Amino acid sequence: GLLFGFEFCFRLVIFCCLGWQEEVSRYQEKQSCRERRTQAKNLKKLVYVYLVRYAEEQQDLALLSISTFQRALKDPNQLIRASALRVLSSIRVPIIVPIMMLAIKEAATDLSPYVRKTAAHAIQKLYSLDPDQKEHLIEVIEKLLKDKSTLVAGSVVMAFEEVCPDRIDLIHKNYRKLCNLLVDVEEWGQVVIIHMLTRYARTQFVSPWREDAVFDENSEKAFYDSEEERRVDQSKPYIMDPDHRLLLRNTKPLLQSRNTAVVMAVSQLYWHLAPKHELSIITKSLVRLLRSHREVQYIVLQNIATMSIQRKGMFEPFMKSFYVRSTDATHIKTLKLEILTNLANEASISTILREFQTYVKSQDKAFAAATIQAIGCCATNISEVTDTCLNGLVLLLSNRDETVVAESVVVIKKLLQTQPSQHSDIIKHMAKLFDNITVPMARASILWLMGEYCEHVPKIAPDVLRKMAKTFTDEEDIVKLQIVNLAAKLYLTNSKQTKLLTQYILNLGKYDQNYDIRDRTRFIRQLIVPNEKSGALSKYARRILMAPKPAPVLQSAFKDRDRFQLGTLSHTLNSQASGYLELSDWPAVAPDQSVRNVEVVEPVRLPCICLFFKDNVKNAGAPALSKSKPAKSNEKIRSTCLRIMQHNYSLNYYLPPQIIQKTLNIMTKYILIHIVLSISTPFFVNCMCSLLHLCVFLACQFDAVSWPVHVSLQASSPVFVPETSHELLHRMTGKGLSAQYRFTRQPCIYGNSMVSLQLTLSNSTDQALENIHISEKSSTGQNIHRFNAIERLEPQASVTVSMGVDFNDSTQAANFQLCTKEDEFSVSIQPAVGELLLPITMSEADFTKEQGKLVGMNESSATITMMPENVSSQSVNRKVVSVANLGVIPSGQENIYRFAGKTVSSGSLVLVSVALKDPDAVITINTEKTVMGSMLLRQVKTALTNSGP
C-alpha cells in the first residue's frame, strides 16, 4: 500500500509537471503570436507613415503599394476599408488621382457610415492635390449631403466649406435635415455645420432687426400657406421665417455643450442671426466659459469685448465676472479691462473707477498703463466724471513708477484737448513736475501741451523753453522735435522773451545728428523768420502752427471688429485671414422658401400589390389551372381576389417590386388557387388579410439575399412594463395640481415615431381645477401630441390621460407647459434610453446576420463580473428587459442571451447579447446609434452587476 501510494504521488507529480510545461508552452506560443501581431501592426503603421511622408520623393515605391490599398478597400471590415482610403488619399502623387477619385466615389456609397465619413475627409485631400477635380467632387458632396447619418454630417459639411462654399443651392434640400441632426452630431462637426448655416441664413432670410418685427416660435403656417397667402404686402410687419426659427431653436440646446467651440459657435450664430431681444440667452453660456483655460478665456473675452460695444445690457448683470484676478495673465487682464470700460455708464462708473484705482497699483507695468488709458476712455465717454478722472490722473503724476507717470501724462494731454481753457492749473502743475519726469513720451507730451496752450500759461512756457535749451543735446529725438515746436510757437506769440532762445535752439537743431530734426529745424526757420527767400509763406506761419486741432477720440480697439464674423481667426487677428468667408448682408426680399421643401417619396403600399395582382392574375394564375380547371374556375379566382383587394386597402407595406412579384407568384401558384377553388365564403374572404401577410413574409424569406430590408423588424408586445411612475409636477409647485407620468412601452397610437406616455393628473385642493391642458409652446421643439383638454377636475379626484412625444432618438428632456385656467407650470419629461425602443421579434439566424453587419464603430462591449444570484436565465432576461424595452430572442446556445429592439423614432436596429463565462459576462450592443448604444451599455452593466430584483 505504501509503494502504491508513493507510485501514485510520483505519477501525479510527473503529470502536473507535464501539464505545467504544456501550459507554459501554450502561453509562450500565445505571447509570441501577440508579439508578432503587434510587430506587424507597428510595421504597417510605419509603412503608412513613410508612404504619406515620402511618397512625393519616391513615387515608384508609392505606386507599388496602390494595389494593396485597392484590395483593402474591398475588405469586409469597415475599419480596414476606412484606413486604406485614409492612407490612399494622403499619398501626394498626382498620377494616382483617378484611382483616388474612384475610391472616394465607391466609399461614398459604402454601407458603413464610418467609411462614408472617411470619404468626406478624403475629398478635401484630393481637392488640394488636384483642384481640377472640383466638379466631380461636388457630385460626391451632393450625394453625401443627403446622408442621414450623424457620423457623416460634420465631415461632409467641412468638405463642402473647403471645395465649394459658394454652392448654396446644395444646402437647400438638406437645410432642415442638418438643423434636426445638429444635436446628435459629434462636437467638431457641430462647429462646422453651425458656421456654414450662419452664412446660409444670411443669404436666405430677411433681417430680424426691425422695430415692427413679430416673433411667433410655433408658427408653422408658412410651411403650408398657399401662394396667394404668401404674397404679403410690404406695409405688414416682419414675421420670422419658420426655417429661420428652426435654426435658432435647434441650436439653442447646444449652449449647454461641454465643448467651448460649440458654445462659441452658437453664440456667434445668435449674434449674427437672432432678434436683438433674444441675445441675452447666450450671455450666461459665454460667462461660463471664463472658467476654462486662459487660451479659451482669451478668445471668449475678445468676442465679448466686441459684443459689449453694441449691446452693453447683455453683460451688465455679470460685471463682477470681468473683475481682474491676481492670477490672470496680462493679456487676460487687458481684455477684462476693455470690457469693463465698454460696460461703464453713469450708474456703474463709480464702482468701476474704484476697481481701476486698485489696478493702477498693480506690479504689472503694462496692465497699470492700460488701466490709465481705460480711465481716460471713461472720462471721454461719460462727461459727468471727466473732472474726477482728470484729478485722479494728476495725482498719479506724483507716482514713483515712471511708467504710470508717463501714461498719465499722455492721457491727460488727450483729455485737456477737450477743454484746455478750464484746466490751466493742471498744465501748470505738470510743468512743475517736468524735471522729475524722465520718460521721453511723457516729456514730449508736456512740451506739446505747453506749446499748444502757451497763451494760457504765458509766464511758465518761456521758462520751460529756457530749461530745454540747456538740455537740448541730451534729449531723445521725440523730445527734441517738441522743443523745436515749442520754440516756434512761443516765437509767434511772445517773441520779445523768446526770440534769442528760439534762434539758439534752431541753431542747435541745424547740426543735430538726426536728419528729421535737421529738416524740421530748417522748415521752422524759413516759416517763422521772415526774409527774402521765405516769400509769402511766412505770412501764414501763425495760422499753420497755431491752428485749432480736433480733440482725439479715445475709443475701444474692438470698435470695428464686428466687420468680421465672431469666433473666426480673422476676428481674433483683426485682419482678414486666408480662407475667410465674409457674411453677406441681409437680403431686402427673402428668396423663395420652397427651395427647401423636400419631396416625400410615398412608400409602396399593399394596395399596389393587389393592383399588381389584379393586372397579372390572368398571366400568373390562369396558366397554372389551364390544364386542370375550366375557364369558370379562373373567373372565380379573379373575382375572389378582387374581393380580397377591397379588404386590404388599409394595410401599409414598404415593398420593392421584386417582392411584389414573388408575393404574386406564391399567392397565385401555390396557395390561393387551391384554396379559393374549394372555399369561397365571406368569412374566408375576410380572413385573407392574414394569408396575404404570410405570402409577403414567405416572399421576403425567399429573397433575403437580394433584398436588404430588415424583414423581421416587426414590433412585438413588451416583455416587461414597469409600473413605476415619475413625478412631473409636485402638488406644492402646481398649486394643488400634481402629475405623474410613466412609459407604457406600447406603440404610440398618435404616431409611429412617438413614445407612448401615460399621465395621471390629481387635484389635491378643495376647489375644482378647470381647463387642464398642455400649452402649444414647446421650448425644446420636440413633436408632442397633447391630450385633450380636461374641462374640469373635481377636488381630490384623479384622471389618467395618454400623450405621445417624439424624442428623435435622444435622451434630451421634452420641456413644455402644463396649464390650468389660471396658471402655467413648466415641466419636463426625461426619458431613459431604454424607453426609446420598441421590442421586435426575429430568429436567431437573423439576429446573428444583422449583428455581423453592425460591427466596428457600431459595436460597444464590456466585461463584467456577475453576482451569483444573477447567473440564471430568468434573472438575466428580467434585468435586461427591465432596463430597456427589448424583445427576447430564442437562443439555441447555453449561457448566451439575445435581445432585439428598434428605436421608436428612426427604426434603427438595436441588438443586445449577454454571454456568460463564469464568473464573468460579456455584454455586447450593436446599433448604428452609437451614442444610444454606449448609454444603454452602461445601464445594462449596472443592472447585471447589482444584486436584488
Side-chain angles (χ1 to χ4, degrees), residues 583-594:
L583 284 179
S584 61
D585 294 331
W586 295 101
V589 179
D592 184 14
Q593 67 174 358
S594 64

PDB file of all heavy atoms in Angstrom, residues 583-594:
ATOM      1  N   LEU A 583     -19.599  87.285 -44.202  1.00  0.00           N
ATOM      2  CA  LEU A 583     -21.052  87.182 -44.092  1.00  0.00           C
ATOM      3  C   LEU A 583     -21.689  88.197 -45.024  1.00  0.00           C
ATOM      4  O   LEU A 583     -21.299  89.370 -45.044  1.00  0.00           O
ATOM      5  CB  LEU A 583     -21.495  87.453 -42.647  1.00  0.00           C
ATOM      6  CG  LEU A 583     -21.283  86.354 -41.613  1.00  0.00           C
ATOM      7  CD1 LEU A 583     -21.765  86.838 -40.257  1.00  0.00           C
ATOM      8  CD2 LEU A 583     -22.018  85.101 -41.986  1.00  0.00           C
ATOM      9  N   SER A 584     -22.654  87.742 -45.784  1.00  0.00           N
ATOM     10  CA  SER A 584     -23.332  88.661 -46.691  1.00  0.00           C
ATOM     11  C   SER A 584     -24.355  89.489 -45.922  1.00  0.00           C
ATOM     12  O   SER A 584     -24.781  89.129 -44.820  1.00  0.00           O
ATOM     13  CB  SER A 584     -24.023  87.879 -47.805  1.00  0.00           C
ATOM     14  OG  SER A 584     -25.003  87.002 -47.259  1.00  0.00           O
ATOM     15  N   ASP A 585     -24.746  90.605 -46.515  1.00  0.00           N
ATOM     16  CA  ASP A 585     -25.792  91.422 -45.910  1.00  0.00           C
ATOM     17  C   ASP A 585     -27.143  90.720 -46.060  1.00  0.00           C
ATOM     18  O   ASP A 585     -27.341  89.875 -46.934  1.00  0.00           O
ATOM     19  CB  ASP A 585     -25.844  92.791 -46.594  1.00  0.00           C
ATOM     20  CG  ASP A 585     -24.585  93.606 -46.333  1.00  0.00           C
ATOM     21  OD1 ASP A 585     -23.971  93.403 -45.265  1.00  0.00           O
ATOM     22  OD2 ASP A 585     -24.207  94.413 -47.200  1.00  0.00           O
ATOM     23  N   TRP A 586     -28.066  91.103 -45.176  1.00  0.00           N
ATOM     24  CA  TRP A 586     -29.411  90.522 -45.258  1.00  0.00           C
ATOM     25  C   TRP A 586     -30.050  90.906 -46.598  1.00  0.00           C
ATOM     26  O   TRP A 586     -29.933  92.039 -47.053  1.00  0.00           O
ATOM     27  CB  TRP A 586     -30.287  91.057 -44.123  1.00  0.00           C
ATOM     28  CG  TRP A 586     -29.863  90.679 -42.757  1.00  0.00           C
ATOM     29  CD1 TRP A 586     -29.187  91.452 -41.870  1.00  0.00           C
ATOM     30  CD2 TRP A 586     -30.102  89.442 -42.083  1.00  0.00           C
ATOM     31  NE1 TRP A 586     -28.981  90.774 -40.693  1.00  0.00           N
ATOM     32  CE2 TRP A 586     -29.544  89.538 -40.794  1.00  0.00           C
ATOM     33  CE3 TRP A 586     -30.742  88.254 -42.443  1.00  0.00           C
ATOM     34  CZ2 TRP A 586     -29.596  88.505 -39.875  1.00  0.00           C
ATOM     35  CZ3 TRP A 586     -30.796  87.225 -41.523  1.00  0.00           C
ATOM     36  CH2 TRP A 586     -30.230  87.352 -40.255  1.00  0.00           C
ATOM     37  N   PRO A 587     -30.720  89.974 -47.252  1.00  0.00           N
ATOM     38  CA  PRO A 587     -31.420  90.342 -48.494  1.00  0.00           C
ATOM     39  C   PRO A 587     -32.615  91.243 -48.193  1.00  0.00           C
ATOM     40  O   PRO A 587     -33.265  91.129 -47.144  1.00  0.00           O
ATOM     41  CB  PRO A 587     -31.859  88.993 -49.061  1.00  0.00           C
ATOM     42  CG  PRO A 587     -31.943  88.079 -47.885  1.00  0.00           C
ATOM     43  CD  PRO A 587     -30.881  88.543 -46.919  1.00  0.00           C
ATOM     44  N   ALA A 588     -32.887  92.161 -49.107  1.00  0.00           N
ATOM     45  CA  ALA A 588     -34.038  93.051 -48.927  1.00  0.00           C
ATOM     46  C   ALA A 588     -35.345  92.274 -49.018  1.00  0.00           C
ATOM     47  O   ALA A 588     -36.298  92.551 -48.286  1.00  0.00           O
ATOM     48  CB  ALA A 588     -33.997  94.161 -49.977  1.00  0.00           C
ATOM     49  N   VAL A 589     -35.374  91.285 -49.906  1.00  0.00           N
ATOM     50  CA  VAL A 589     -36.551  90.429 -50.063  1.00  0.00           C
ATOM     51  C   VAL A 589     -36.096  88.983 -49.927  1.00  0.00           C
ATOM     52  O   VAL A 589     -35.109  88.579 -50.549  1.00  0.00           O
ATOM     53  CB  VAL A 589     -37.226  90.650 -51.426  1.00  0.00           C
ATOM     54  CG1 VAL A 589     -38.442  89.740 -51.582  1.00  0.00           C
ATOM     55  CG2 VAL A 589     -37.626  92.108 -51.601  1.00  0.00           C
ATOM     56  N   ALA A 590     -36.785  88.222 -49.117  1.00  0.00           N
ATOM     57  CA  ALA A 590     -36.385  86.832 -48.883  1.00  0.00           C
ATOM     58  C   ALA A 590     -36.540  86.002 -50.146  1.00  0.00           C
ATOM     59  O   ALA A 590     -37.554  86.105 -50.841  1.00  0.00           O
ATOM     60  CB  ALA A 590     -37.220  86.232 -47.757  1.00  0.00           C
ATOM     61  N   PRO A 591     -35.533  85.179 -50.486  1.00  0.00           N
ATOM     62  CA  PRO A 591     -35.683  84.266 -51.635  1.00  0.00           C
ATOM     63  C   PRO A 591     -36.808  83.273 -51.399  1.00  0.00           C
ATOM     64  O   PRO A 591     -37.325  83.131 -50.288  1.00  0.00           O
ATOM     65  CB  PRO A 591     -34.309  83.569 -51.692  1.00  0.00           C
ATOM     66  CG  PRO A 591     -33.379  84.454 -50.935  1.00  0.00           C
ATOM     67  CD  PRO A 591     -34.198  85.108 -49.877  1.00  0.00           C
ATOM     68  N   ASP A 592     -37.171  82.586 -52.444  1.00  0.00           N
ATOM     69  CA  ASP A 592     -38.267  81.616 -52.389  1.00  0.00           C
ATOM     70  C   ASP A 592     -37.939  80.517 -51.384  1.00  0.00           C
ATOM     71  O   ASP A 592     -36.924  79.825 -51.506  1.00  0.00           O
ATOM     72  CB  ASP A 592     -38.488  81.019 -53.772  1.00  0.00           C
ATOM     73  CG  ASP A 592     -39.686  80.078 -53.797  1.00  0.00           C
ATOM     74  OD1 ASP A 592     -40.475  80.103 -52.831  1.00  0.00           O
ATOM     75  OD2 ASP A 592     -39.820  79.321 -54.768  1.00  0.00           O
ATOM     76  N   GLN A 593     -38.781  80.357 -50.375  1.00  0.00           N
ATOM     77  CA  GLN A 593     -38.525  79.355 -49.348  1.00  0.00           C
ATOM     78  C   GLN A 593     -38.914  77.947 -49.781  1.00  0.00           C
ATOM     79  O   GLN A 593     -38.558  76.960 -49.127  1.00  0.00           O
ATOM     80  CB  GLN A 593     -39.275  79.706 -48.065  1.00  0.00           C
ATOM     81  CG  GLN A 593     -40.793  79.627 -48.186  1.00  0.00           C
ATOM     82  CD  GLN A 593     -41.494  79.848 -46.864  1.00  0.00           C
ATOM     83  OE1 GLN A 593     -40.848  80.029 -45.853  1.00  0.00           O
ATOM     84  NE2 GLN A 593     -42.811  79.846 -46.881  1.00  0.00           N
ATOM     85  N   SER A 594     -39.587  77.822 -50.909  1.00  0.00           N
ATOM     86  CA  SER A 594     -39.973  76.485 -51.373  1.00  0.00           C
ATOM     87  C   SER A 594     -38.781  75.663 -51.829  1.00  0.00           C
ATOM     88  O   SER A 594     -38.899  74.441 -51.981  1.00  0.00           O
ATOM     89  CB  SER A 594     -40.978  76.598 -52.516  1.00  0.00           C
ATOM     90  OG  SER A 594     -40.393  77.225 -53.648  1.00  0.00           O
TER      91      SER A 594
END
